Amino acid sequence: MKNVFVVAAVSLFALTANAQSVKEKKARAAVDDAFAESTKKVSACGKTFKFVYDWKSFDAIDFAKIGRDKMGQYGSEVPNVAGFGEAINKLCADKDYKEALGKISTIVYKPTNDDSITVKGTVASGTLTLENYCFGSTRDAGDYEKAAADAL
């Protein structure tokens, strides 16, 4: 429940920061709901993480410049985040990764238009960031698991 609250609080801030149509608000809410549903399944680590969907990075993408439809991308983000929590659980099934994740307090999903990556993980100051080239194929738990394992 705590993970859902954190995701909701971050999302609420993001929603109020930008003027959006009702259609866009609902599309964002669908992504937030999918992300919260995915991350609430994280139970194998023996701790609670703060999960963050990085809306600031999503909003920084110049969709018009790269010829992409922002509204359509919301629909693509829902399946992109579906396996996010499963990936963290899979890592915690391994004692060494579980120990490494014990040093992490925040896990960030960061959408990007950097086509030089698929999913890239980085760790800094107790935060694991999983950066996803969001215009590629739909990501599954294995994509995030590999990127996180490589970063840890």
Side-chain angles (χ1 to χ4, degrees), residues 73-118:
Q73 189 57 38
Y74 287 118
S76 296
E77 285 300 279
V78 170
N80 269 340
V81 299
F84 199 81
E86 180 184 345
I88 304 305
N89 260 345
K90 284 182 174 183
L91 284 173
C92 284
D94 178 289
K95 67 179 180 79
D96 296 323
Y97 286 117
K98 184 175 183 175
E99 181 181 338
L101 282 165
K103 299 172 187 169
I104 301 296
S105 58
T106 304
I107 302 176
V108 177
Y109 170 86
K110 181 179 180 180
T112 182
N113 65 335
D114 178 357
D115 63 1
S116 70
I117 64 166
T118 302

Side-chain angles (χ1 to χ4, degrees), residues 34-144:
F35 189 65
E37 184 66 27
S38 177
T39 59
K40 82 177 185 182
K41 296 176 184 174
V42 176
S43 60
C45 298
K47 68 179 287 183
T48 301
F49 298 101
K50 175 182 176 185
F51 288 96
V52 177
Y53 182 101
D54 187 348
W55 282 112
K56 189 173 183 178
S57 291
F58 183 89
D59 292 333
I61 298 170
D62 188 342
F63 288 88
K65 183 178 179 180
I66 60 173
R68 300 287 187 151
D69 176 42
K70 184 177 184 180
M71 288 304 298
Q73 189 57 38
Y74 287 118
S76 296
E77 285 300 279
V78 170
N80 269 340
V81 299
F84 199 81
E86 180 184 345
I88 304 305
N89 260 345
K90 284 182 174 183
L91 284 173
C92 284
D94 178 289
K95 67 179 180 79
D96 296 323
Y97 286 117
K98 184 175 183 175
E99 181 181 338
L101 282 165
K103 299 172 187 169
I104 301 296
S105 58
T106 304
I107 302 176
V108 177
Y109 170 86
K110 181 179 180 180
T112 182
N113 65 335
D114 178 357
D115 63 1
S116 70
I117 64 166
T118 302
V119 179
K120 177 183 171 186
T122 55
V123 175
S125 303
T127 298
L128 169 62
T129 301
L130 295 171
E131 188 174 6
N132 176 36
Y133 172 60
C134 61
F135 301 111
S137 300
T138 300
R139 307 296 175 223
D140 64 17
D143 296 314
Y144 299 118

